Amino acid sequence: MKTSVCIIGGGPSGLLLSQLLHLKGINTVILERQSREYVLGRIRAGVLEHGFAELMREAQCGERMDREGEIHEGFFIAHDGTQTRVDLHKYSGGSSVVVYGQTELTRDLYEARDRMKGVVIHNAEDVQLHDLKSGSPWVTYRNGDDIVRIDCDFVIGADGFHGVSRKSIPRDVLQEHEKAYPFGWLGVLSRTKPVSPELIYARHERGFALCSLRSQTLSRYYIQVPLSDSVEDWTDDRFWAELKRRLPADVAARLITGPSIEKSIAPLRSFVAEPMRYGNLFLAGDAAHIVPPTGARGLNSAASDIYYLYHALMAHYQSGDDSGLDGYSAKALARVWKAQRFSWWMTTMLHTFPDSTSYEQRLQQTELDYLFSSDKAMGSLAENYVGLPF
Ligand code: RFL
Ligand code: PHB
């Protein structure tokens, strides 16, 4: 098989790039390790920044997002038994975010790829990358007993944190920067009316909690849990009782509970691999960097990588201009590190750290006091949350 751009990974990053390139007449093949059902069964991000939404529209995949997604102009931070609103619209100079689930967005991208007869190969086992430093790299995967070879101009590693692409870069070339947090998030999806029309990020001595949503009939809640906990430790009743304890009394009193339809634990981690290019392999999204979900930056950071790669590949194929490809890693990383900083800051401000000293706890409290007393601090939070420019 031969294609121009071979994309490893059929998550949102890979699908979006494939769709954008297709619309410019550039051929791609996507290799995805899992079945489509499996990919669409994962419950992940819920908040999209304006730039991501624009990219979905450019990819001709924004119709359902614009119809069913909700525009949010603010969110709440609950603390000390009360809640304070962060007015994103006011403090970011008129911007907002879109609440639309990653699952739905991925479904829209798959449907668009099918409509345009894009090549997406599922259950591609044992993907391997070859001759990445040459002008004609190639990729192999196993289909039953057969090894299939794909020749291409470029390989895009959009295969998430556990993918094969980053691992194909020699150890002495790649630098990895990592911070693990001593807790995870237990997430529950339930077919209940959300407790609040806007998200609530709750700081509490028992641990962080988040009230989010997918629609006015589908709620998504998270609580901070120790890394040693497993999903089996948390019955629905125990989850709801703990969530209520961490919310202001009036919010807890309004909370409508119901059976969970999904429950999972995600460890919190910050990670960056650099450079994001090796020969003709380009890393994008979670394959190169991950953040704790507190600032809702993960998928949105993937979107800026895709934006830069899309424009760089377009310039290469349309006018032989390789400056975008040459500058990709540095440009992408500059924005990635800002998202890292913001996610680390939100996480540090809002979570309970098991071994923190009284000094650190007072600083954490002061961070919130300062935030709520300063328009400039609120402005900084808002401009990062709605997304820095691409
Ligand atoms: P993905 O989604 O992990 O997709 C990678 C795909 O590659 C496949 N793959 C392979 N394919 C072929 N060969 C191999 N060897 C392969 N290895 C892996 C995988 O099966 C998969 O289909 O990466 P991508 O596309 O870069 O997308 C990144 C986002 O998924 C991620 O950043 C976000 O979900 C993070 N995130 C959030 N981001 C936001 O911007 N806003 C949010 O509100 C938000 N909330 C969240 C989140 C992540 C969470 N979890 C579970 C980590 C909430 C949570 C709880
Ligand atoms: C979600 O709805 O899953 C969500 C929302 C905001 C975050 C993280 C996750 O910061």
Side-chain angles (χ1 to χ4, degrees):
M1 216 187 301
K2 180 144 183 52
T3 190
S4 303
V5 182
C6 183
I7 299 173
I8 319 297
S13 300
L15 290 165
L16 181 58
L17 182 64
S18 168
Q19 178 68 9
L20 288 164
L21 291 177
H22 188 124
L23 291 170
K24 298 292 174 192
I26 301 166
N27 292 322
T28 64
V29 168
I30 296 180
L31 293 180
E32 166 57 53
R33 181 166 59 181
Q34 307 285 356
S35 68
R36 186 170 300 198
E37 295 67 43
Y38 182 93
V39 175
L40 290 175
R42 291 191 294 229
I43 308 293
R44 288 188 172 174
V47 175
L48 310 179
E49 62 185 45
H50 173 76
F52 192 106
E54 277 296 304
L55 215 48
M56 284 291 285
R57 293 181 193 114
E58 186 164 350
Q60 298 180 4
C61 293
E63 203 185 300
R64 196 160 69 96
M65 174 189 76
D66 284 332
R67 208 172 51 241
E68 296 178 12
E70 290 184 13
I71 293 181
H72 283 214
E73 296 186 345
F75 64 82
F76 292 95
I77 295 182
H79 58 101
D80 308 300
T82 182
Q83 45 176 342
T84 305
R85 184 164 186 265
V86 176
D87 189 334
L88 291 173
H89 193 258
K90 172 176 156 194
Y91 287 114
S92 71
S95 208
S96 55
V97 292
V98 181
V99 171
Y100 188 64
Q102 178 170 333
T103 313
E104 300 311 313
L105 172 151
T106 308
R107 193 186 306 280
D108 297 342
L109 288 165
Y110 271 127
E111 277 173 14
R113 294 288 52 228
D114 289 348
R115 227 174 21 248
M116 296 185 181
K117 309 230 178 310
V119 184
V120 184
I121 297 166
H122 282 281
N123 306 307
E125 288 175 54
D126 196 18
V127 168
Q128 290 183 27
L129 282 47
H130 309 268
D131 281 349
L132 294 170
K133 290 290 262 185
S134 83
S136 42
W138 47 290
V139 176
T140 52
Y141 70 96
R142 201 160 48 75
N143 177 17
D145 289 337
D146 298 333
I147 302 289
V148 183
R149 172 176 170 144
I150 302 174
D151 289 283
C152 57
D153 303 329
F154 302 104
V155 181
I156 307 299
D159 48 354
F161 183 64
H162 299 288
V164 65
S165 301
R166 189 180 69 251
K167 293 177 192 135
S168 305
I169 301 178
R171 286 252 135 240
D172 58 335
V173 174
L174 201 68
Q175 254 199 311
E176 297 187 338
H177 309 278
E178 180 162 15
K179 179 175 172 60
Y181 299 84
F183 39 72
W185 278 19
L186 168 64
V188 158
L189 189 70
S190 73
R191 224 171 275 294
T192 49
K193 186 174 161 53
V195 70
S196 163
E198 292 183 337
L199 274 68
I200 304 176
Y201 290 81
R203 174 171 180 261
H204 192 277
E205 62 199 9
R206 294 182 67 89
F208 170 80
L210 171 62
C211 305
S212 183
L213 60 147
R214 292 293 176 272
S215 70
Q216 283 311 310
T217 55
L218 196 56
S219 298
R220 180 68 165 161
Y221 296 105
Y222 297 96
I223 55 171
Q224 172 186 348
V225 293
L227 282 174
S228 51
D229 281 15
S230 64
V231 170
E232 291 71 42
D233 297 329
W234 288 90
T235 60
D236 287 359
D237 285 348
R238 184 178 173 212
F239 176 83
W240 293 120
E242 185 59 34
L243 176 62
K244 280 185 182 178
R245 279 194 204 107
R246 299 182 188 188
L247 299 174
D250 57 324
V251 180
R254 294 202 301 270
L255 181 75
I256 299 170
T257 63
S260 63
I261 51 177
E262 194 267 358
K263 199 188 278 166
S264 51
I265 293 184
L268 265 62
R269 195 199 308 259
S270 299
F271 174 89
V272 182
E274 45 190 16
M276 287 170 63
R277 174 186 193 174
Y278 174 69
N280 281 318
L281 165 67
F282 295 82
L283 299 180
D286 277 19
H289 43 79
I290 51 176
V291 285
T294 326
R297 292 299 83 208
L299 182 56
N300 292 307
S301 296
S304 59
D305 294 349
I306 296 308
Y307 177 88
Y308 297 138
L309 268 180
Y310 163 49
H311 285 273
L313 287 165
M314 214 160 49
H316 170 85
Y317 283 107
Q318 290 181 347
S319 49
D321 172 5
D322 280 352
S323 57
L325 290 173
D326 292 339
Y328 169 69
S329 180
K331 198 168 181 179
L333 282 165
R335 193 174 188 275
V336 159
W337 274 110
K338 292 187 185 108
Q340 291 282 328
R341 184 204 70 81
F342 178 66
S343 306
W344 160 83
W345 174 76
M346 282 279 278
T347 304
T348 308
M349 178 169 70
L350 296 174
H351 287 73
T352 299
F353 286 75
D355 296 325
S356 65
T357 61
S358 64
Y359 178 83
E360 287 161 331
Q361 288 162 19
R362 292 303 298 266
L363 273 189
Q364 208 182 19
Q365 183 62 47
T366 306
E367 190 72 48
L368 265 192
D369 293 346
Y370 170 62
L371 175 66
F372 297 142
S373 68
S374 159
D375 279 0
K376 291 204 169 77
M378 278 289 211
S380 170
L381 193 172
E383 86 166 337
N384 280 279
Y385 194 88
V386 300
L388 296 171
F390 287 170

